[in-house]
Every structure is written in structure tokens, then in C-alpha cells.
Amino acid sequence: LLIGGATTSKMHTAVKVSPNYFTVEHPVIHVLDASRSVTVVSSLLGENKVDYTTDIMEEYDEMREDYYAGLEDRYFLTFDQAKQQKLVIDFDAVPPAPAPKKLGVSLIEDVQLEDVVPYIDWNPFFQTWELRGRYPNRGYPKIFDDEAVGSEAKKLFNDAQELLKKIIADKSMNLKGVVGMFAANRTDDGEDVLVYSSEEDREAGKPLDKFCMIRQQAEKESDDPYLSQADFIAPAGYKDHIGMFAVSCFGCDALVQEYEAEHDDYNKIMSQALADRFVEAFAEYLHREMRTDTWGYATDESLNEEDLLKIKYVGIRPAPGYPSQPDHTEKSTMWNVIKAEQLAGIELSESLSMMPAASVSALVFAHPESCYFAVGQVGKDQVESYAKRKNMELSPCERWLSPILNYERD
């Protein structure tokens, strides 16, 4: 099993994956980038495979021991202590955002590819192709000035523009998504968020569903609070709201099959990279529409596309499974609430990956004090509380949260 890519690491492979799958016969190996896979596979096919895999196994064992030894040196607050030091927003001084124009779920299928092109962030596109400029020419468009990769980056970009124009012209890809906006309050214990279909349901205490959140526990060397996304939503008694969306770029799979049939790997990868750029731009476009129109809590916003990509707007749109809420099972709750599969055909796999692959989902928080953060690692006391609040058995809950546990699960 060879593991590589932007969201993987040698340490994660050694600590989390290797203990479950590594044998001398069937090793697990982290490969830094695609170009290194050739030498790794050559070693696995060579006469010295056993020595090679044994060396890697021993290296991973040492890394794992060092990792857990480091955790023992790190201090974690108890869950109760972390809750006592949470972020306290004064919702009287800085009240929740005004109510959206309309509560409920809306299908979005009238946004064209050309509408979102101005919102494309091209930096991840070059990362897909493993092209990185050196300072001061790291990002787009300065990468074109880089001595080492500039000319190749420019050629790649020009090819992307040609294919982009072709995709728009022949409509081989299209955008579709669902947006939901709901009345919301955090739970009495301050750890989760209840969503309501209407103000009447809120007043009657009839929640539509509950989004469970996770709080930071690793000790800080400052007086900074221990954050949870629940902190950004006002408690009962306030008319707060939460938004969410799931969006996809459809048509990429069919295009990929065409290029595969022609043995054209270059345009196959290019199509996938562009589908990712389209859907990320669609998410940016949709979030702006929510802020300035459909929710309308920032009607006077006047940011250009560059400022948008630098996140200079009010509010945040964290995705389930990402650092602010690292539990992918919360996507199931979102899909239940906004009917993403029934309305837009966006599915969740058994491992809760979104399908099509070019998809983005997010919760939308409007309060100006909401911010992105990383939960980091958490203790068993919080995981037990979390599993109970989700009505989930502890063992599967620990399995889903395994990358952030500060202990070895049984």
C-alpha cells in the first residue's frame, strides 16, 4: 500500500495506518511524491524486498514510539476544564446576524461555469501538478516568473485555459448544489448546535436535527480560549441562524472516460484538476451570494476576488471532516438536513467521501467572532461525551476520530 498526496504524511502513515496493515509481505509505505514511487516499486520488486520492507517497518516503529512519547510530555486539559475556558461571545453587545430572507433548502442549478471562473483560485491547480515556485515567486501569477518552473507553469496554465474554454463551450461539465438556512441555537451544555426548520419550531422546542461539535483540549501557552464551533452560535433565547451547502461539478467522470479511451492521461488529469477548481469557485461564489443576498448579513461587502481568496469577509464556512470539526460522520447529518442526494444527486460513500469527487460541503457561520481553527488532539473523556451526544457506540466513534485521539484505542 503506497500512500502519498497533499493531505498525507510519513508520520500519519507510521502512527495510524502502518499498525493496522503493515506486514513484510504487504508493506505500507509513504511516498513523498509521484516521482519517488518508481524507486519504491523497484525496491519492492527487487531481490532485497524483505530487507527493504523490514527497514521501513523498523523506522515506522521508532517514529510511532517517538510520537506517543511526545504525547506523554504534552498536557491536555480535561474536557470539563476545556469547557470552562471556552470562547464566550457577548451576543448582546455583538448580536447574531439578521435572519435570512428564507429558511429551508434551495436547489441551485442555474449557475453557469462562466459565472464562477472569476472566483477560481489557481494556486492549488499548480500544486496538483507538483509545480512550486521559490520565494518570492511561489503563488499564482508570480510562479510564471520563477526560473526553475516558470515556463512549464505558463505552458500548463495556457493548456488549462484552452480546455476550460472547450468545457464551457460544449457544456461537458455543469454545476449543481443545495443550500440550507435554518434557525439555530447551541445546546444548553454549549457543545452542540440544534437546527430548526422554522421560528415556530424553535419556539416549540422541536429541532430538525443536531450538529455535534468537538472542542480543543491541548493545553495552550496563552490565555486563548478552547474553541468549538458551537461557541459561534448563540444559546436559546437568541434568534440565531446557521447555513450549510453541498455543491458539485458534474460531468467530469464522463470526460475522464473519453480521455482514458484515447489514452490521453494529460487531459484526463487536466479535466479532474479543472473540475476541482470549478467546484471550489462555485463554493466561493455561493458563499458570497449567501453573505450579500440570500442571508444578507453583509450587504455592503465590496471585496474583489483576490480579497475573497484571502478570506477577508465576515463569517466562515468550515467543512465537516476538516480541522475545525474533524468528524466526517457529521456529513451524514448535513445530508439528512439539506437532502443533498435527493435534490442534487450528491452522494456519500461508505467512507463518507462525497461523489462526484469534485464536491464541496460546508457549514456557514455568520457571527463576526467566528473563526477557523484546528481542534487538534482530544482526550477519551471528550470522546465518550461526544459518542453519547451522537447516540453512537464508543468503538466506531473512536475509529472515525482515530487521527485526533491523544490515546491508543483498545
Side-chain angles (χ1 to χ4, degrees):
L1 173 61
L2 303 187
I3 296 176
T7 58
T8 69
S9 72
K10 191 173 182 178
M11 183 62 79
H12 183 267
T13 302
V15 174
K16 299 296 183 181
V17 186
S18 175
N20 295 302
Y21 298 102
F22 201 123
T23 67
V24 172
E25 186 63 30
H26 300 290
V28 176
I29 302 172
H30 183 262
V31 184
L32 195 59
D33 61 53
S35 64
R36 313 280 179 92
S37 61
V38 176
T39 54
V40 172
V41 172
S42 297
S43 299
L44 291 173
L45 295 174
E47 296 177 4
N48 299 320
K49 175 189 173 180
V50 173
D51 291 341
Y52 176 70
T53 55
T54 302
D55 284 347
I56 292 175
M57 183 185 278
E58 289 174 355
E59 181 189 2
Y60 286 0
D61 287 346
E62 288 177 17
M63 289 177 68
R64 195 159 53 252
E65 287 172 15
D66 290 345
Y67 173 81
Y68 282 114
L71 281 186
E72 290 171 8
D73 295 336
R74 194 170 183 191
Y75 183 68
F76 288 83
L77 273 63
T78 66
F79 186 37
D80 285 338
Q81 288 172 331
K83 286 193 287 186
Q84 288 164 11
Q85 298 182 49
K86 67 182 183 183
L87 174 67
V88 179
I89 294 176
D90 186 341
F91 287 101
D92 292 319
V94 187
K101 290 180 179 176
K102 177 177 81 104
L103 295 185
V105 179
S106 302
L107 174 64
I108 309 296
E109 54 183 347
D110 57 353
V111 177
Q112 305 303 312
L113 292 175
E114 52 266 39
D115 297 331
V116 306
V117 168
Y119 297 84
I120 289 179
D121 179 2
W122 287 103
N123 285 305
F125 171 79
F126 295 107
Q127 292 164 12
T128 298
W129 294 91
E130 296 181 356
L131 286 178
R132 295 178 181 86
R134 290 193 170 189
Y135 180 83
N137 300 317
R138 281 197 186 125
Y140 167 82
K142 290 181 179 178
I143 191 172
F144 299 144
D145 300 325
D146 188 80
E147 286 184 15
V149 302
S151 59
E152 186 64 30
K154 186 64 178 168
K155 178 183 178 300
L156 196 69
F157 184 73
N158 290 340
D159 290 347
Q161 298 307 303
E162 287 301 311
L163 185 57
L164 182 148
K165 289 173 187 171
K166 181 178 183 299
I167 289 168
I168 290 175
D170 61 22
K171 300 186 184 300
S172 52
M173 294 187 194
N174 65 284
L175 304 171
K176 190 186 285 190
V178 281
V179 177
M181 285 182 275
F182 302 92
N185 290 111
R186 68 171 179 247
T187 51
D188 291 341
D189 66 1
E191 296 308 302
D192 304 316
V193 175
L194 297 171
V195 296
Y196 304 87
S197 296
S198 64
E199 281 301 332
E200 292 75 22
D201 282 355
R202 189 203 313 252
E203 288 172 16
K206 292 166 56 180
L208 173 64
D209 218 320
K210 178 173 72 172
F211 286 87
C212 295
M213 305 301 183
I214 305 177
R215 186 172 298 283
Q216 295 173 321
Q217 275 186 272
E219 186 182 33
K220 303 185 179 188
E221 294 180 355
S222 64
D223 294 330
D224 290 345
Y226 290 76
L227 298 173
S228 160
Q229 287 182 165
D231 297 341
F232 308 143
I233 298 294
Y238 292 88
K239 291 190 174 181
D240 207 348
H241 298 82
I242 194 168
M244 57 198 77
F245 63 76
V247 293
S248 290
C249 181
F250 289 86
C252 182
D253 290 345
L255 202 56
V256 161
Q257 286 177 354
E258 283 181 32
Y259 287 125
E260 279 182 339
E262 297 167 7
H263 305 289
D264 186 349
D265 285 344
Y266 180 68
N267 276 311
K268 169 191 160 185
I269 297 170
M270 185 70 80
S271 300
Q272 292 167 325
L274 285 177
D276 285 341
R277 292 304 88 220
F278 280 135
V279 75
E280 291 285 357
F282 185 20
E284 200 68 73
Y285 170 93
L286 202 54
H287 190 199
R288 183 181 216 169
E289 287 294 300
M290 292 175 76
R291 295 192 307 272
T292 61
D293 183 21
T294 52
W295 193 340
Y297 65 84
T299 51
D300 56 350
E301 178 181 297
S302 58
L303 301 174
N304 60 31
E305 284 77 16
E306 187 178 343
D307 287 336
L308 288 179
L309 298 179
K310 290 177 181 175
I311 317 178
K312 291 187 177 180
Y313 46 75
V314 175
I316 57 172
R317 55 173 181 92
Y322 279 73
S324 299
Q325 210 312 12
D327 178 16
H328 284 277
T329 68
E330 284 297 295
K331 278 192 215 137
S332 299
T333 307
M334 185 186 293
W335 256 241
N336 176 55
V337 169
I338 60 175
K339 306 290 184 281
E341 184 172 353
Q342 296 94 315
L343 294 175
I346 308 170
E347 301 175 43
L348 291 176
S349 71
E350 280 186 14
S351 61
L352 299 180
S353 295
M354 294 177 286
M355 301 180 293
S359 299
V360 174
S361 62
L363 290 174
V364 180
F365 296 85
H367 198 276
E369 290 189 44
S370 60
C371 61
Y372 292 102
F373 64 94
V375 165
Q377 292 184 310
V378 297
K380 191 162 188 173
D381 56 350
Q382 176 165 197
V383 177
E384 287 172 343
S385 166
Y386 185 72
K388 190 175 181 181
R389 295 180 346 247
K390 282 176 70 74
N391 294 319
M392 195 175 188
E393 291 290 327
L394 181 61
S395 181
C397 187
E398 286 181 321
R399 189 171 71 247
W400 280 105
L401 295 178
S402 61
I404 65 163
L405 302 181
N406 74 352
Y407 61 95
E408 289 193 72
R409 56 192 173 98
D410 298 333

